[in-house]
Amino acid sequence: MQTIDLKTTVGELVREAPSRARVFESMKIDYCCGGKIPLADACAKKKIDPASVVDQLQQCDAKLSDDNSVDADAMSLTELADHIESTHHAYLREELPRLDFMTEKVARVHGDKEPRLLKTREAFVALKAELEPHMMKEERILFPIVRQLEASTERQEFHCGSVGNPIRQMEHEHDQAGNALAILNETTDGYTPPEWACNTYRAMLDSLAQLERDMHQHIHKENNVLFPKAIQLEQRA
């Protein structure tokens, strides 16, 4: 685990690992315009125990280095639906509002210098508008059906007909989300910051890259594991 020196400036810490911005944001420590002061001074200014901040930064680093891979194919359908909700949906509910703020701010401040940031912002807004109701439909409609299918030994009747009907809609929405992610990747040169990018800009790109990685895992677990197994289970009943 990388050692975190209290003498290192807040800005340098975020530059080394942009995901650390989440820790500083949660503690209202300015890592952008006020990022030139050492971590020890930033903690003193906010009257925060520096050991606690270092611990959270190290946890953040450890979480990033751990791919949190799971064997989705080995899970029951109920376990997999629960995992998707507690892992991927929980991540999105925390991250989407944060990225909404960041993409708006970066586009507003730096859009004149890098016009593609306006397209980045538009693509993110479209993605967020797609994902929020998508998660709700999965949690309120599709996943309860999947759990009911697995829990019963008899053929089930659902208000939507076959489980394949909501699955087709979810897969269509996954395609739309994939298109938005492709635009985000393209308009940011694969989430590569320009030389002049400030720490907020860099943190935004790092977060968008993590969002893409998580979405790829999320969609894979549904499209390639949960959905086909649910259809097979219904057909066997």
Side-chain angles (χ1 to χ4, degrees):
M1 184 178 295
Q2 185 176 352
T3 301
I4 294 175
D5 190 339
L6 290 173
K7 296 178 183 178
T8 306
T9 68
V10 174
E12 287 171 352
L13 288 168
V14 174
R15 192 177 184 92
E16 289 172 2
S19 61
R20 292 170 177 166
R22 291 177 178 79
V23 175
F24 293 129
E25 288 165 8
S26 70
M27 297 184 172
K28 302 191 184 308
I29 293 176
D30 184 2
Y31 59 85
C32 192
C33 299
K36 294 183 179 180
I37 65 173
L39 177 58
D41 292 352
C43 292
K45 188 175 180 181
K46 288 290 183 179
K47 298 181 180 178
I48 300 172
D49 178 13
S52 172
V53 178
V54 168
D55 180 61
Q56 290 194 46
L57 290 170
Q58 289 177 332
Q59 288 182 35
C60 179
D61 291 351
K63 184 178 180 182
L64 186 63
S65 64
D66 179 9
D67 64 4
N68 255 343
S69 59
V70 298
D71 187 354
D73 194 49
M75 293 181 173
S76 70
L77 297 190
T78 296
E79 288 172 339
L80 184 52
D82 291 347
H83 163 76
I84 290 168
E85 285 190 25
S86 64
T87 303
H88 300 292
H89 286 193
Y91 163 79
L92 287 171
R93 287 200 169 93
E94 180 178 346
E95 197 67 2
L96 290 176
R98 175 175 176 267
L99 271 168
D100 189 29
F101 170 79
M102 296 180 83
T103 54
E104 188 282 326
K105 179 180 180 180
V106 172
R108 173 168 41 83
V109 174
H110 299 295
D112 290 343
K113 192 169 186 178
E114 175 48 275
R116 290 184 302 170
L117 286 170
L118 303 178
K119 292 184 178 179
T120 302
R121 170 63 180 164
E122 289 177 5
F124 175 78
V125 169
L127 179 64
K128 182 174 182 288
E130 182 73 42
L131 288 176
E132 289 175 334
H134 177 88
M135 289 189 290
M136 182 179 68
K137 284 181 281 188
E138 286 188 338
E139 292 176 6
R140 296 185 181 181
I141 300 172
L142 180 56
F143 289 178
I145 289 175
V146 169
R147 294 184 182 104
Q148 186 176 340
L149 270 174
E150 189 169 58
S152 177
T153 58
E154 299 178 358
R155 186 168 184 84
Q156 300 294 300
E157 298 291 335
F158 304 113
H159 68 281
C160 59
S162 168
V163 70
N165 292 328
I167 283 176
R168 278 190 291 274
Q169 179 62 30
M170 294 302 98
E171 288 179 331
H172 173 68
E173 292 177 8
H174 286 169
D175 289 342
Q176 293 179 310
N179 292 337
L181 288 171
I183 295 172
L184 290 172
N185 192 302
E186 179 183 354
T187 58
T188 58
D189 296 325
Y191 312 110
T192 304
E195 291 279 340
W196 48 268
C198 67
N199 273 342
T200 300
Y201 194 159
R202 291 173 186 274
M204 178 198 76
L205 292 176
D206 178 75
S207 297
L208 287 173
Q210 289 191 47
L211 175 69
E212 181 183 272
R213 288 192 295 269
D214 188 85
M215 283 298 302
H216 286 168
Q217 293 178 25
H218 181 172
I219 291 174
H220 159 70
K221 290 170 186 174
E222 293 186 350
N223 280 13
N224 300 327
V225 185
L226 183 69
F227 294 171
K229 283 189 172 185
I231 290 172
Q232 290 172 4
L233 184 62
E234 182 182 52
Q235 291 173 344
R236 288 200 301 265

